Amino acid sequence: MKQLAVISGKGGTGKTTIAAAFVSLAKKAIIADCDVDASNMHLVLKPEILKKHDFYALPTASIEPTLCMKCNLCRESCRFGAIEENFTVEGYRCEGCGVCEYVCPVNAIKMQIEKAGEAYESGTRFGPMAHAKLGIGEEASGKLVTMVRELAIRMAEEDDSDLIIIDGPPGTGCSVIATLTGADAAFVVTEPTISGIHDLGRVLEVASHFRIPAFVCINKSDLNEANVRKIEEKCDLCGATVVGKLPFDKTPTEAMIEGKTVVEYASNTFSSNIKQIWNTIKEEAGL
Amino acid sequence: MKIAVASGKGGTGKTTIAVNLALSMQEIQLFDCDVEEPNANLFLQYPLEKLEDAIILIPEINEDACTHCNACAEFCKFNALASLPEKILFFPSLCHGCGGCKLVCPEDAIVEKRRSIGIVESAASNTMDFYQGTLSIGESMASPLIRQLKTHAKDEDVILDAPPGTACPLISTLENVDYCVLVAEPTPFGLHDLRLTTEVTKELKIPTGVIINRESGGYKEIEIFCQSQDIPILLRIPYDRRIAELYSRGIPFVEEMPEWKKKFQEMHDQIREVVC
């Protein structure tokens, strides 16, 4: 089984649009939406949820006020400033390390596990999909990404499927690392803007750090020809392969408003370009 | 007054708004809190000076004193320590720097040392003090870096360019801000992300307004949503190829289209009235 992770460094480059189009072109692929902070894939694929799994992040400290003697040891020991002056815990800051529980001389602090989100096994018109929703402001999105990927692998085994297409989160941090770990190839969507080039550099570094071959698609490529050349040079330098270019086009926005993939929405140049890119990446990455 | 510019999702024009707003003001501090992908200075091109490393404390185990009792590895909630019969393995990138292992070690075999997870840089112009943090590649701990970056904020006017998403890095950015400007694109994706981010600002009780970016008419659901939630629309920026091209070249559009400076100043005044 192969896993293709679609990432972008920067958000808004058209990652989900292209990942969704790939899903509609792939035969028997499992879809994994790993952008658990702000997932959008479901807006296009409209999954029907078949199974729900609760997601528990790390526990959070909780102080029992009737036991607390306000000795301040917990506040002094917490490296994250999570305990307020009135000895309540600011949940957003608590990392769940358990130091306060350990130092409390009267056992007034307990670590409590709370539900931090949900992961789903769903069906879509293109096949099975694993996705998730992280609770607002919750931590450990990397952990939830790992859970979605484990679900996708299990679903792929059950479905006898040999490909997982992962829609990744933006950035280069925690959840992107969890998306890339163990993937067979990274498909990077970029755009010829100076911030696009900058973020491409960082995300290619992450891919090469984890030794994952990277394939690059330049979206909105007619917006700035000089920047396209800079992207091609950067890819050359980083050992990444440019597998295609897409024009600045209204098709993705129109398709999105209709709730369709671009391939379903229109059979125009834009969608035939996407088909070509899909065939190239399949061959180049051996999917 | 501290204003954060956030959007849920990347690519909606958050950095564009933060930079153009800052360039429209006098005497302002701008912080790029998107430490995974700091982009604001691509548009400012200030010569940056390194201020400091962002540091977390990690354990160093004195193998001579260690009895391999396993207490540290058992305590560590982040699986950064693993105990083998003859050796303790430490995985720095998993360590949150809580100091728990040192506390629980019965042999005092653990000391702490500083580990850099990224850097804080700054630059100054006539009108602006600019700060950015950059997380080192392969590091996952954005929040401590964002908090360290924000310690440089003074009490005067501050603008924070927030990271995308609704998870910990956004929350760390929004802590102690007075107002949050949410940038939204008029598409179904944009609406969905706006819903998520307004949930965050509501939960944190931060007054919030919306800028509609790349407005081209047609999709009205953003307005309908804002009305239903009683969130003001502060500004509308049209879908304009000229702005997109300036952006692709890294030019803040207020510099070529100065009429926008006034609009940003008026928006800032409008926010001040709400906050003060």
Side-chain angles (χ1 to χ4, degrees):
Chain A
M1 183 202 314
K2 298 281 177 127
Q3 300 187 48
L4 175 70
V6 182
I7 51 174
S8 69
K10 192 179 141 49
T13 56
K15 186 168 35 72
T16 302
T17 297
I18 294 173
F22 281 0
V23 164
S24 68
L25 291 167
K27 304 241 157 24
K28 284 205 77 144
I30 306 289
I31 309 134
D33 187 352
C34 287
D35 188 0
V36 297
D37 273 11
S39 60
N40 275 331
M41 187 73 123
H42 65 283
L43 298 173
V44 181
L45 300 185
K46 303 186 182 76
E48 188 193 330
I49 295 171
L50 303 172
K51 266 192 216 165
K52 266 187 202 175
H53 305 269
D54 287 341
F55 169 70
Y56 297 93
L58 283 167
T60 307
S62 153
I63 302 175
E64 174 51 51
T66 56
L67 296 175
C68 174
M69 354 176 269
K70 306 184 168 40
C71 69
N72 221 29
L73 262 178
C74 56
R75 292 195 67 213
E76 283 163 15
S77 309
C78 177
R79 295 268 170 92
F80 310 105
I83 301 171
E84 306 280 3
E85 275 171 33
N86 62 0
F87 297 97
T88 58
V89 177
E90 176 50 86
Y92 294 127
R93 286 200 198 152
C94 176
E95 301 259 331
C97 67
V99 163
C100 55
E101 181 190 34
Y102 179 79
V103 298
C104 178
V106 292
N107 289 325
I109 305 183
K110 290 274 165 291
M111 302 306 290
Q112 287 186 334
I113 295 181
E114 273 169 44
K115 191 173 145 182
E118 283 179 345
Y120 312 104
E121 293 177 51
S122 294
T124 77
R125 60 191 184 279
F126 303 115
M129 170 169 174
H131 52 125
K133 188 175 189 306
L134 189 67
I136 291 300
E138 289 291 350
E139 305 232 4
S141 47
K143 241 177 114 184
L144 183 54
V145 166
T146 306
M147 186 168 170
V148 170
R149 291 191 55 199
E150 282 165 1
L151 278 181
I153 289 169
R154 212 187 63 218
M155 289 159 81
E157 280 162 359
E158 282 166 8
D159 207 59
D160 204 18
S161 172
D162 50 13
L163 177 63
I164 298 173
I165 296 175
I166 307 168
D167 187 18
T172 53
C174 171
S175 47
V176 176
I177 292 170
T179 301
L180 277 177
T181 312
D184 297 279
F187 184 81
V188 187
V189 183
T190 186
E191 56 178 30
T193 60
I194 64 158
S195 51
I197 296 172
H198 173 259
D199 297 342
L200 173 69
R202 281 181 64 86
V203 82
L204 289 180
E205 265 186 72
V206 175
S208 93
H209 184 93
F210 293 99
R211 302 208 177 87
I212 293 162
F215 302 89
V216 174
C217 165
I218 309 171
N219 198 6
K220 305 174 191 166
S221 60
D222 51 344
L223 202 59
N224 190 320
E225 301 284 338
N227 283 344
V228 168
R229 280 192 297 279
K230 281 187 198 154
I231 289 174
E232 288 169 331
E233 282 161 21
K234 186 158 242 167
C235 289
D236 254 1
L237 216 66
C238 298
T241 317
V242 177
V243 286
K245 291 174 200 165
L246 292 164
F248 187 76
D249 196 300
K250 281 199 163 168
T251 309
T253 313
E254 287 165 7
M256 186 197 297
I257 289 172
E258 295 276 310
K260 289 178 175 166
T261 71
V262 284
V263 181
E264 290 173 294
Y265 175 74
S267 46
N268 56 11
T269 329
F270 192 90
S271 70
S272 67
N273 273 355
I274 291 229
K275 283 180 195 163
Q276 222 164 40
I277 291 169
W278 172 242
N279 288 328
T280 314
I281 175 87
K282 264 201 317 192
E283 203 179 300
E284 295 266 338
L287 303 176
Chain B
M1 180 171 69
K2 294 189 178 69
I3 301 174
V5 182
S7 72
K9 200 71 163 187
T12 54
K14 203 166 11 79
T15 300
T16 306
I17 302 291
V19 166
N20 282 292
L21 172 60
L23 286 172
S24 305
M25 308 296 297
Q26 298 292 323
E27 300 207 12
I28 198 135
Q29 281 188 310
L30 175 64
F31 288 82
D32 191 342
C33 296
D34 187 1
V35 300
E36 290 178 29
E37 313 282 6
N39 275 342
N41 198 44
L42 296 173
F43 300 90
L44 297 168
Q45 297 285 338
Y46 292 154
L48 292 168
E49 195 182 317
K50 181 175 159 181
L51 286 181
E52 62 206 16
D53 278 298
I55 296 293
I56 63 170
L57 292 172
I58 59 163
E60 189 170 49
I61 293 148
N62 174 0
E63 283 287 343
D64 294 336
C66 175
T67 58
H68 305 103
C69 72
N70 207 29
C72 57
E74 263 172 36
F75 186 85
C76 180
K77 306 287 190 296
F78 312 108
N79 303 315
L81 289 157
S83 166
L84 302 179
E86 296 298 318
K87 199 176 165 48
I88 299 280
L89 296 178
F90 174 61
F91 306 99
S93 62
L94 297 178
C95 175
H96 288 222
C98 71
C101 51
K102 180 174 185 289
L103 275 177
V104 301
C105 178
E107 310 294 337
D108 273 333
I110 297 181
V111 291
E112 288 187 291
K113 62 175 185 186
R114 293 154 62 87
R115 187 171 94 87
S116 167
I117 54 167
I119 55 168
V120 175
E121 294 167 294
S122 79
S125 76
N126 293 337
T127 59
M128 191 195 308
D129 285 334
F130 173 72
Y131 294 83
Q132 75 169 35
T134 307
L135 198 63
S136 303
I137 293 288
E139 295 291 346
S140 61
M141 300 273 292
S143 292
L145 175 43
I146 292 170
R147 292 199 182 110
Q148 188 171 334
L149 177 67
K150 282 174 65 183
T151 59
H152 296 278
K154 296 188 193 128
D155 284 335
E156 61 199 67
D157 280 331
V158 172
I159 296 165
L160 302 138
D161 184 10
T166 55
C168 7
L170 176 66
I171 305 290
S172 310
T173 305
L174 292 182
E175 271 171 10
N176 303 322
V177 307
D178 301 302
Y179 196 93
C180 183
V181 173
L182 296 176
V183 186
E185 262 188 316
T187 66
F189 282 20
L191 176 62
H192 179 255
D193 300 330
L194 179 64
R195 276 179 199 278
L196 291 176
T197 334
T198 50
E199 275 183 61
V200 176
T201 58
K202 204 187 276 176
E203 180 135 354
L204 296 175
K205 300 190 177 66
I206 300 171
T208 302
V210 166
I211 293 182
I212 301 181
N213 193 20
R214 302 195 196 107
E215 185 175 52
S216 58
Y219 190 82
K220 292 286 169 219
E221 273 75 356
I222 300 273
E223 267 107 326
I224 296 168
F225 172 75
C226 287
Q227 237 163 31
S228 74
Q229 299 291 309
D230 216 7
I231 299 169
I233 292 170
L234 302 165
L235 200 63
R236 297 159 190 275
I237 298 170
Y239 183 88
D240 183 337
R241 199 175 163 111
R242 189 167 164 218
I243 294 179
E245 277 170 0
L246 286 170
Y247 172 77
S248 82
R249 284 155 54 205
I251 299 169
F253 67 85
V254 293
E255 286 182 355
E256 302 278 322
M257 303 155 95
E259 66 275 17
W260 279 92
K261 276 196 179 174
K262 204 167 157 248
K263 294 188 189 178
F264 279 114
Q265 287 159 3
E266 283 166 4
M267 183 184 85
H268 198 265
D269 291 343
Q270 193 186 336
I271 293 171
R272 194 185 295 281
E273 266 172 40
V274 175
V275 171
C276 304

